[in-house]
Amino acid sequence: QAQLMESGGGSVQAGGSLRLSCAPSSYPARPNECMAWFRQAPGREREGIASVYTVDGTRNYAASLRSRTTISQDSDLNRVTLQMNRLQPEDTAMYYCAVRRVAHDGLCRLTRDSEYDTWGQGTQVTVST
Protein backbone atom coordinates (compact mmCIF):
# COMPACT_ATOMS: atom_id res chain seq x y z
CA GLN A 1 0.00 0.00 0.00
CA ALA A 2 1.40 3.37 -0.99
CA GLN A 3 2.39 5.77 1.73
CA LEU A 4 1.51 9.43 1.79
CA MET A 5 4.34 11.90 1.66
CA GLU A 6 3.74 15.31 3.20
CA SER A 7 5.98 18.31 2.82
CA GLY A 8 6.02 22.00 3.60
CA GLY A 9 5.79 22.18 7.37
CA GLY A 10 8.05 24.24 9.60
CA SER A 11 8.12 27.41 11.63
CA VAL A 12 6.08 30.41 10.59
CA GLN A 13 5.61 33.87 12.03
CA ALA A 14 2.14 34.89 13.08
CA GLY A 15 0.35 36.46 10.16
CA GLY A 16 2.24 34.35 7.66
CA SER A 17 1.13 31.50 5.45
CA LEU A 18 1.80 27.84 4.99
CA ARG A 19 1.68 25.67 1.94
CA LEU A 20 1.62 21.93 2.47
CA SER A 21 1.74 19.26 -0.20
CA CYS A 22 0.78 15.62 -0.14
CA ALA A 23 1.30 12.86 -2.66
CA PRO A 24 1.41 9.09 -2.53
CA SER A 25 4.83 7.43 -2.62
CA SER A 26 3.61 5.47 -5.63
CA TYR A 27 0.66 6.46 -7.71
CA PRO A 28 -2.37 4.17 -7.44
CA ALA A 29 -4.03 2.55 -10.42
CA ARG A 30 -6.83 5.06 -10.03
CA PRO A 31 -6.75 8.32 -8.06
CA ASN A 32 -7.92 8.29 -4.49
CA GLU A 33 -11.40 9.75 -4.50
CA CYS A 34 -11.03 11.77 -1.30
CA MET A 35 -7.92 13.63 -0.26
CA ALA A 36 -7.98 15.66 2.91
CA TRP A 37 -5.96 17.53 5.50
CA PHE A 38 -6.39 17.20 9.24
CA ARG A 39 -4.45 18.61 12.14
CA GLN A 40 -3.92 17.79 15.77
CA ALA A 41 -2.55 20.07 18.43
CA PRO A 42 -1.19 18.71 21.72
CA GLY A 43 -3.99 17.84 24.08
CA ARG A 44 -6.67 18.35 21.46
CA GLU A 45 -8.68 16.08 19.19
CA ARG A 46 -7.84 15.70 15.56
CA GLU A 47 -9.57 18.35 13.48
CA GLY A 48 -10.55 18.25 9.82
CA ILE A 49 -9.37 21.22 7.77
CA ALA A 50 -10.29 20.65 4.14
CA SER A 51 -11.00 17.89 1.65
CA VAL A 52 -11.43 17.46 -2.07
CA TYR A 53 -13.46 14.86 -3.93
CA THR A 54 -11.13 14.26 -6.84
CA VAL A 55 -13.84 12.82 -9.07
CA ASP A 56 -15.47 16.21 -9.61
CA GLY A 57 -13.27 18.61 -7.66
CA THR A 58 -15.82 19.33 -4.91
CA ARG A 59 -14.11 20.96 -1.95
CA ASN A 60 -15.16 20.89 1.65
CA TYR A 61 -13.82 23.16 4.40
CA ALA A 62 -14.12 23.38 8.14
CA ALA A 63 -16.36 26.36 8.78
CA SER A 64 -13.93 28.01 11.19
CA LEU A 65 -11.07 27.85 8.68
CA ARG A 66 -12.86 28.39 5.39
CA SER A 67 -12.04 32.07 5.04
CA ARG A 68 -8.28 31.55 5.08
CA THR A 69 -7.80 28.05 3.67
CA THR A 70 -7.59 26.67 0.14
CA ILE A 71 -7.20 23.06 -0.91
CA SER A 72 -6.25 22.28 -4.47
CA GLN A 73 -5.44 19.18 -6.48
CA ASP A 74 -3.00 18.66 -9.29
CA SER A 75 -4.23 17.79 -12.74
CA ASP A 76 -3.19 14.19 -12.28
CA LEU A 77 -5.49 14.11 -9.23
CA ASN A 78 -2.88 12.45 -7.05
CA ARG A 79 -1.28 15.43 -5.35
CA VAL A 80 -3.11 17.83 -3.09
CA THR A 81 -1.94 21.16 -1.67
CA LEU A 82 -3.17 23.05 1.37
CA GLN A 83 -2.71 26.80 1.59
CA MET A 84 -3.50 28.51 4.89
CA ASN A 85 -3.12 32.24 5.45
CA ARG A 86 -3.11 34.61 8.41
CA LEU A 87 -1.63 31.97 10.69
CA GLN A 88 -1.87 32.38 14.44
CA PRO A 89 -0.18 30.51 17.30
CA GLU A 90 -3.32 28.44 17.75
CA ASP A 91 -2.67 26.98 14.30
CA THR A 92 0.37 25.22 15.73
CA ALA A 93 -0.21 21.52 15.25
CA MET A 94 0.82 18.38 13.44
CA TYR A 95 -0.79 18.46 10.02
CA TYR A 96 -1.80 15.19 8.39
CA CYS A 97 -2.77 14.23 4.89
CA ALA A 98 -5.30 11.43 4.48
CA VAL A 99 -7.00 9.66 1.60
CA ARG A 100 -10.11 7.64 1.11
CA ARG A 101 -9.68 5.37 -1.88
CA VAL A 102 -13.35 5.06 -2.80
CA ALA A 103 -16.17 7.29 -1.64
CA HIS A 104 -19.32 5.49 -2.76
CA ASP A 105 -21.43 8.31 -1.37
CA GLY A 106 -19.35 11.01 -3.02
CA LEU A 107 -18.66 12.68 0.31
CA CYS A 108 -15.31 13.54 1.81
CA ARG A 109 -16.39 14.30 5.33
CA LEU A 110 -14.09 16.12 7.70
CA THR A 111 -15.90 14.88 10.77
CA ARG A 112 -15.34 11.18 10.16
CA ASP A 113 -11.64 10.57 10.04
CA SER A 114 -12.30 6.84 10.41
CA GLU A 115 -13.47 6.84 6.77
CA TYR A 116 -9.96 7.59 5.54
CA ASP A 117 -7.86 4.59 4.57
CA THR A 118 -4.34 5.92 4.58
CA TRP A 119 -2.64 8.61 6.63
CA GLY A 120 0.65 10.36 6.29
CA GLN A 121 3.18 10.63 9.07
CA GLY A 122 2.34 14.26 9.59
CA THR A 123 4.28 17.48 9.23
CA GLN A 124 4.72 19.89 12.11
CA VAL A 125 3.71 23.51 11.77
CA THR A 126 4.71 25.91 14.52
CA VAL A 127 3.45 29.48 14.51
CA SER A 128 5.27 31.97 16.70
CA THR A 129 4.56 35.55 17.63
Side-chain angles (χ1 to χ4, degrees), residues 10-16 87-92 125-129:
S11 297
V12 184
Q13 291 288 317
L87 292 169
Q88 296 301 316
E90 52 265 35
D91 293 313
T92 295
V125 173
T126 302
V127 184
S128 58
T129 56

Side-chain angles (χ1 to χ4, degrees), residues 18-34:
L18 64 79
R19 187 174 177 85
L20 305 178
S21 293
C22 173
S25 56
S26 60
Y27 282 7
R30 54 179 289 179
N32 296 296
E33 294 189 354
C34 286

Side-chain angles (χ1 to χ4, degrees), residues 95-108:
Y95 284 68
Y96 297 93
C97 177
V99 301
R100 183 181 180 192
R101 287 190 296 274
V102 179
H104 297 290
D105 54 9
L107 299 175
C108 303

Side-chain angles (χ1 to χ4, degrees), residues 40 49 59 98 110:
Q40 188 166 21
I49 302 171
R59 303 175 190 181
L110 297 172

